[in-house]
Amino acid sequence: TEDCIAYYDADTLYHQAATNQQVKFITVKHIVEGWEEELDGVKVFKGLGKGIKKDSWLWMKNLELEVAGKEPYTLEDFEVIDGQRLKGDYTKCMESAKVQIHMKLKRVREQFRIPKIVTVIGSGDNFRHNLDLCRPYKGNRKNTLKPILLDDLREWGVDELGAIVTPKSKTYDVIETDDYVDMMAVLGAQHYAKYGLYNKFAILSDKDGFNAQKMLCNPDTYNSDHPKKGQFKYPQAIVV
């Protein structure tokens, strides 16, 4: 329809735009001796995998101790603290993040010829966090630092782009973003079944997007290592 709306599961869109404006690092602190060192990451600190790898920072440090006739350090001697900082001035970083979001939305709009896009973002725990699972839902993200600009960027999205923050369910607290987008798109499929035209559809890259009937556009593009880098993986809309 002419007033058709595409609902975009945009949690990743805002998160990535914020992440791109910062650098991550770690601070390794010797628990007993009290000194600390800032490094680019765990790989630099000790290498990948278990143990201390050759040519890592800690391996080189232990080489110096060995030459001096001292006991080497162990991994247990250190506390590792994650850190992050903006690449530059706050205002410039915010503007750069906004530009990235605008550019992505423009590309998706032009690729799929979408008249109107509404970004959808989630907030807080949803019913899946209360399920009795062997591991907490998305528990691996619990100790991950939130990007510095994320909250401000999401607020800008709501104020300036008309982004929707997923509402609360009557029974299960906050609705997860992809579930809300799915719900809107299913209404669009019902409209199509009745009138032969979609008035709502989904922009969604989550595999769960194929679980219910809808018109689906996948915004994912190939990464920089792929021969088709930057091109859409699914260049046409999909009817599920």
Side-chain angles (χ1 to χ4, degrees):
T1 61
E2 291 185 4
D3 60 348
C4 184
I5 300 175
Y7 292 86
Y8 192 152
D9 178 355
D11 281 334
T12 299
L13 176 65
Y14 286 90
H15 192 282
Q16 190 61 55
T19 300
N20 288 343
Q21 304 309 314
Q22 63 185 38
V23 291
K24 293 184 176 182
F25 59 90
I26 62 169
T27 300
V28 292
K29 181 178 180 179
H30 195 280
I31 297 171
V32 175
E33 297 176 5
W35 56 265
E36 58 185 44
E37 186 86 16
E38 183 180 304
L39 302 170
D40 287 341
V42 173
K43 181 180 178 181
V44 174
F45 171 50
K46 69 174 189 66
L48 296 178
K50 296 181 179 180
I52 302 169
K53 303 303 181 183
K54 184 179 179 181
D55 295 328
S56 67
W57 178 87
L58 188 51
W59 185 87
M60 297 293 292
K61 200 77 173 176
N62 282 341
L63 194 61
E64 295 175 6
L65 292 174
E66 183 181 345
V67 171
K70 298 179 181 180
E71 285 293 316
Y73 293 131
T74 67
L75 292 174
E76 290 71 25
D77 291 331
F78 295 90
E79 178 186 5
V80 180
I81 305 165
D82 291 322
Q84 56 190 9
R85 67 172 67 90
L86 293 178
K87 292 180 177 178
D89 174 73
Y90 169 86
T91 302
K92 290 182 179 179
C93 287
M94 271 295 289
E95 290 305 311
S96 180
K98 293 175 186 178
V99 168
Q100 287 185 30
I101 291 173
H102 275 301
M103 288 178 63
K104 181 64 175 182
L105 292 176
K106 181 180 178 181
R107 283 204 65 199
V108 171
R109 189 180 294 111
E110 292 177 345
Q111 176 68 30
F112 298 106
R113 300 180 182 179
I114 299 171
K116 182 179 180 180
I117 295 176
V118 173
T119 57
V120 182
I121 50 181
S123 177
D125 291 347
N126 57 74
F127 77 94
R128 291 182 176 87
H129 290 89
N130 296 322
L131 296 177
D132 186 16
L133 304 174
C134 59
R135 289 185 295 180
Y137 179 63
K138 295 185 177 179
N140 61 323
R141 303 181 185 179
K142 187 175 181 180
N143 297 320
T144 302
L145 293 176
K146 180 192 294 187
I148 298 167
L149 298 179
L150 184 57
D151 287 343
D152 289 347
L153 202 56
R154 285 161 54 96
E155 184 177 342
W156 164 81
V158 172
D159 293 341
E160 300 296 328
L161 300 183
I164 294 174
V165 179
T166 53
K168 287 190 174 183
S169 163
K170 294 180 180 179
T171 54
Y172 291 116
D173 203 21
V174 175
I175 301 173
E176 192 164 11
T177 308
D178 60 342
D179 290 336
Y180 182 84
V181 170
D182 241 4
M183 291 161 59
M184 294 298 102
V186 168
L187 292 177
Q190 293 173 351
H191 189 278
Y192 175 81
K194 189 173 183 178
Y195 301 107
L197 293 170
Y198 287 93
N199 66 340
K200 296 179 176 68
F201 61 96
I203 303 175
L204 187 65
S205 58
D206 194 297
K207 62 184 183 301
D208 293 339
F210 292 95
N211 289 346
Q213 60 180 345
K214 66 174 71 66
M215 175 77 77
L216 172 67
C217 296
N218 190 315
D220 289 351
T221 55
Y222 289 103
N223 60 35
S224 58
D225 298 328
H226 196 280
K228 294 182 179 180
K229 71 174 182 177
Q231 297 183 35
F232 284 91
K233 294 181 179 180
Y234 304 93
Q236 294 182 335
I238 303 167
V239 177
V240 180

